[in-house]
Amino acid sequence: MTAPAKIVLSDVHKSFGKKVVLDGIDLSIQKGESVVVIGGSGTGKSVMLKSVLGILRPERGSIKVDGEEVIGMRSKDRDRMMLKFGMLFQGSALFDSLRVWENVAFGLIQGRGMNRIQAKDIAIEKLAAVGLAESAGDLFPAELSGGMQKRVALARAIATSPEIIFFDEPTTGLDPIMADVINDLIVKCTKELGATTLSITHDMASARKIADRIAMLYKGRLIWVGPAKDIDHSGNEFVDQFIHGRAEGPIKMELRA
Amino acid sequence: MDFLATIGRVFLAFLSHVGRLSAFTGTALSHVVRPPFYPRLTLRAMVEIGYYSLPVVGLTAVFTGMVLALQSYSGFSRFAAEGAVATVVVLSVTRELAPVLAGLMVAGRIGASMAAEIGTMRVTEQIDALTTLSTNPFKYLVAPRLLAGLLMVPCLVLVADIIGVFGGYIVGVYKLGFNPSSYLARTWEYLEPLDVISGLTKAAVFGFVISLMGCYNGYYSRGGAQGVGAATTNSVVSAAIMILIFNYVITALYFGK
C-alpha cells in the first residue's frame, strides 16, 4: 500500500479577469520527494505555488496538504498550516527593516514563539549551514549581494526545519557559479531535513540538479510529468523545445500580454 | 452610450473600492483587539508618529497661532473688538486649526511613509513572506499602525493646542501690545473643556483615518515603483479628503445646534 501523498492538486483553476492562468492542474507530490515545475515566464508557475500557500485562492479544484483542504481555509488554520512550510522567494523577500539574523529567526520568534536569544543561536547555525559567517547576521539585507541574499533567504526557509519547502526561481539573477552553489545548498539542506520540496524554475541546470521529478507547465496545464532522468527523452516536442532553449518549435512567444 | 458605460464603470469601481475598504477596516479592527499583540511594533509606530512628527506639527501650530492673532486683530479692530483676539485664537486653535492642520501634516508625513513602506513590502513579496512565516500581515503590519495613529495624533494635537495658543500670545503681547496677564485671562475666560475634547476627538478619528488609508493603499499597491508611488499619492489625498469630511461631521455632532 502506497503512503498518502503530501501535497495533492486536483483540477485547480485560477484566472485573473479573462486571463486563464491555471486551467485544470493535477499534481501529486509524495513525502520526501522533490518536484520541479518548469515552464516559460508567465505560464502560471508562481500562481500555482501561491495557490498551495493560500496566498491566492483558485476558483475551482482542490488542494490538499497532508489530506487537509487548503482552499477556503480559515486564516487561523492557515497560520497553523504554514508552520509546516518554508519558502524561498524569487527576489528573496527579506525584510529590509530587520537584521539578517532577525530575518532568519523570524519564523521561530513570530511563528513559534521562541525567545530571541535561542532563536538567534539557531539563526546563526542556519547561516553557517548556507556558508555565511556569524558577522553577516548583524548586517541589513541591503548590505548584502544578490547571492548572499539568496543564501539568507534559504537559511530563513529552512530555519524552522519545515516539512515542506517551496523554491520560487531559486537561481534567477545569479551568475552560473553562484546558481550552482545555491542548487547544492538546496539539495544538501533538504536532504538533511528530509523535506518535501516543490520548486519552480526555468533554469534547466537547476531543475536537473534538484529534481526527483519534473513537470512542465504550458498554457495553464501540466503537459508532461516524469522522472528527472527522463527529461531528455520525454517524447514531448514542447518539453524538447523548452529544455534546449530553441526559438523554433510549437511554443510561440506571445508578444502581447 | 459610451458615456453612460463610462459612468457605470466609474460607479462600479467606486463601489468596489468602498466595499474593499470596508472589508479591510473590519478585518484590521478585529486584529487590533485579538491577540497576539505586537507591543514592540506598536511602540515603534507610536514613536514614529508621535515623536518624529512633533517638529512639523509644532511649527505649523506656532505660525498658525501667530497668523491668527494678527488676522483677528486686524479684522476685529474694524468694529473695536480687538479684545476678543485671545478668545478667538484659543477657540480656533483648539476646536479647528490644531486638529485639522496637524492631521493634514501627519497625513503628508506618516500616511505617505506607511503607504510607501507597506507598498514596497507588497511588490517585493515581503507580505507574502510574512504569510509563509505564520504571521498575519494584518496583525503584524496594520494593527500596530492603526493603534498608534489613534493614540498619538491626539497627543500631537494637545501639544499643538498649547504651542498654537503660545504663538498667539507671543504676537499678541510683543507685537500687538496686549497686557500679558489680561491676554492669558481672556484666553482662559471663555475656554471650555468641550472645546479641547472636541478637538481631541477629531484628532483620534483623523489619526485612525491617516493610518488606515496609508495601510490600505500600501497593502493593495501593485506594479512596482509606479504602483508604490500611486499608493503613496492616493494615501495622502484620500486621507486629506476624509479628514475634511470627518471634520465637518464631528463639528456638526458637537456644535450642530
Side-chain angles (χ1 to χ4, degrees):
Chain A
M1 192 175 144
T2 52
K6 192 79 175 166
I7 303 171
V8 181
L9 289 85
S10 314
D11 196 30
V12 175
H13 289 74
K14 176 69 187 170
S15 307
F16 293 99
K18 288 179 183 168
K19 186 174 170 57
V20 177
V21 179
L22 301 180
D23 190 16
I25 298 286
D26 291 292
L27 183 66
S28 176
I29 305 169
Q30 298 300 313
K31 186 172 186 292
E33 191 182 20
S34 173
V35 172
V36 172
V37 177
I38 58 172
S41 301
T43 51
K45 303 186 302 292
S46 292
V47 171
M48 190 178 88
L49 273 196
K50 288 180 179 178
S51 296
V52 179
L53 290 166
I55 294 169
L56 293 173
R57 184 174 180 157
E59 289 94 27
R60 199 143 53 90
S62 161
I63 299 173
K64 289 185 175 169
V65 175
D66 285 333
E68 206 174 344
E69 182 63 51
V70 170
I71 299 176
M73 190 177 251
R74 288 160 55 94
S75 138
K76 199 172 180 180
D77 294 331
R78 185 174 304 128
D79 288 348
R80 176 181 48 78
M81 172 72 80
M82 283 300 126
L83 293 173
K84 294 181 183 180
F85 283 85
M87 166 114 186
L88 187 152
F89 285 85
Q90 185 176 353
S92 299
L94 299 174
F95 305 124
D96 313 314
S97 57
L98 301 181
R99 292 181 188 280
V100 163
W101 79 262
E102 290 174 312
N103 266 280
V104 177
F106 194 93
L108 296 166
I109 296 169
Q110 305 298 346
R112 306 194 176 208
M114 188 181 283
N115 73 60
R116 288 173 67 84
I117 296 168
Q118 198 182 347
K120 184 171 185 179
D121 289 342
I122 294 174
I124 300 295
E125 193 183 299
K126 297 296 178 186
L127 284 171
V130 297
L132 289 174
E134 186 177 345
S135 57
D138 288 324
L139 300 174
F140 283 95
E143 297 173 279
L144 304 177
S145 67
M148 286 171 87
Q149 288 187 6
K150 274 278 181 345
R151 288 179 189 229
V152 175
L154 178 58
R156 184 174 71 177
I158 61 171
T160 56
S161 304
E163 297 169 34
I164 303 164
I165 310 177
F166 286 179
F167 298 102
D168 184 356
E169 310 272 10
T171 54
T172 297
L174 300 179
D175 67 73
I177 295 169
M178 182 53 77
D180 201 45
V181 169
I182 294 292
N183 288 332
D184 285 341
L185 285 170
I186 288 172
V187 172
K188 174 177 148 269
C189 295
T190 53
K191 292 295 175 211
E192 279 173 8
L193 291 171
T196 305
T197 67
L198 175 60
S199 313
I200 57 176
T201 186
H202 44 233
D203 174 358
M204 284 314 300
S206 177
R208 288 173 203 278
K209 194 143 202 173
I210 62 182
D212 295 326
R213 268 196 306 152
I214 295 178
M216 175 146 172
L217 188 62
Y218 179 65
K219 289 199 168 174
R221 289 175 172 272
L222 290 176
I223 56 169
W224 185 84
V225 182
K229 61 183 171 49
D230 293 346
I231 190 80
D232 290 316
H233 36 89
S234 65
N236 184 308
E237 55 184 337
F238 290 86
V239 174
D240 283 345
Q241 184 192 350
F242 185 83
I243 65 172
H244 294 111
R246 287 194 292 258
E248 296 300 318
I251 303 173
K252 303 292 179 198
M253 284 292 126
E254 291 182 20
L255 296 178
R256 288 187 197 174
Chain B
M1 286 304 283
D2 279 355
F3 177 66
L4 288 176
T6 306
I7 292 174
R9 265 198 303 274
V10 170
F11 186 64
L12 287 176
F14 172 73
L15 289 182
S16 158
H17 270 295
V18 170
R20 199 167 64 169
L21 177 60
S22 305
F24 184 91
T25 309
T27 309
L29 281 174
S30 77
H31 285 289
V32 169
V33 295
R34 278 187 295 152
F37 304 112
Y38 292 98
R40 186 191 291 254
L41 293 175
T42 308
L43 195 65
R44 190 189 297 169
M46 287 171 80
V47 170
E48 184 63 36
I49 295 172
Y51 183 71
Y52 290 114
S53 299
L54 267 176
V56 69
V57 169
L59 267 177
T60 307
V62 76
F63 282 107
T64 301
M66 290 163 76
V67 167
L68 198 58
L70 282 177
Q71 287 282 22
S72 50
Y73 182 84
S74 155
F76 291 177
S77 61
R78 293 176 189 170
F79 45 93
E82 297 93 330
V85 166
T87 309
V88 168
V89 168
V90 72
L91 292 187
S92 306
V93 166
T94 54
R95 284 184 176 200
E96 284 298 325
L97 294 173
V100 172
L101 293 180
L104 293 174
M105 297 308 282
V106 174
R109 212 188 84 78
I110 296 297
S113 133
M114 281 182 190
E117 187 178 354
I118 296 177
T120 305
M121 290 184 75
R122 165 62 72 201
V123 300
T124 56
E125 295 186 308
Q126 291 178 51
I127 293 182
D128 291 342
L130 278 176
T131 306
T132 65
L133 292 163
S134 303
T135 303
N136 190 310
F138 274 89
K139 266 195 201 316
Y140 189 80
L141 294 176
V142 180
R145 287 170 169 82
L146 284 185
L147 201 58
L150 186 72
L151 296 174
M152 292 318 291
V153 177
C155 297
L156 278 172
V157 167
L158 199 59
V159 174
D161 283 348
I162 296 164
I163 295 176
V165 170
F166 176 71
Y169 172 86
I170 295 291
V171 168
V173 171
Y174 295 104
K175 186 167 175 62
L176 304 176
F178 283 95
N179 177 284
S181 56
S182 69
Y183 187 96
L184 286 176
R186 293 302 288 266
T187 296
W188 286 111
E189 195 174 356
Y190 294 105
L191 182 67
E192 293 177 7
L194 189 65
D195 299 323
V196 178
I197 290 168
S198 67
L200 296 183
T201 309
K202 287 178 181 181
V205 173
F206 297 166
F208 181 80
V209 165
I210 292 164
S211 296
L212 181 70
M213 298 319 294
C215 293
Y216 170 77
N217 284 291
Y219 195 84
Y220 287 110
S221 68
R222 56 173 64 187
Q226 195 179 16
V228 175
T232 308
T233 307
N234 290 341
S235 150
V236 176
V237 172
S238 55
I241 291 171
M242 287 177 81
I243 283 172
L244 298 175
I245 294 171
F246 276 112
N247 183 44
Y248 175 77
V249 172
I250 297 168
T251 305
L253 286 174
Y254 271 105
F255 308 107
K257 284 184 183 175

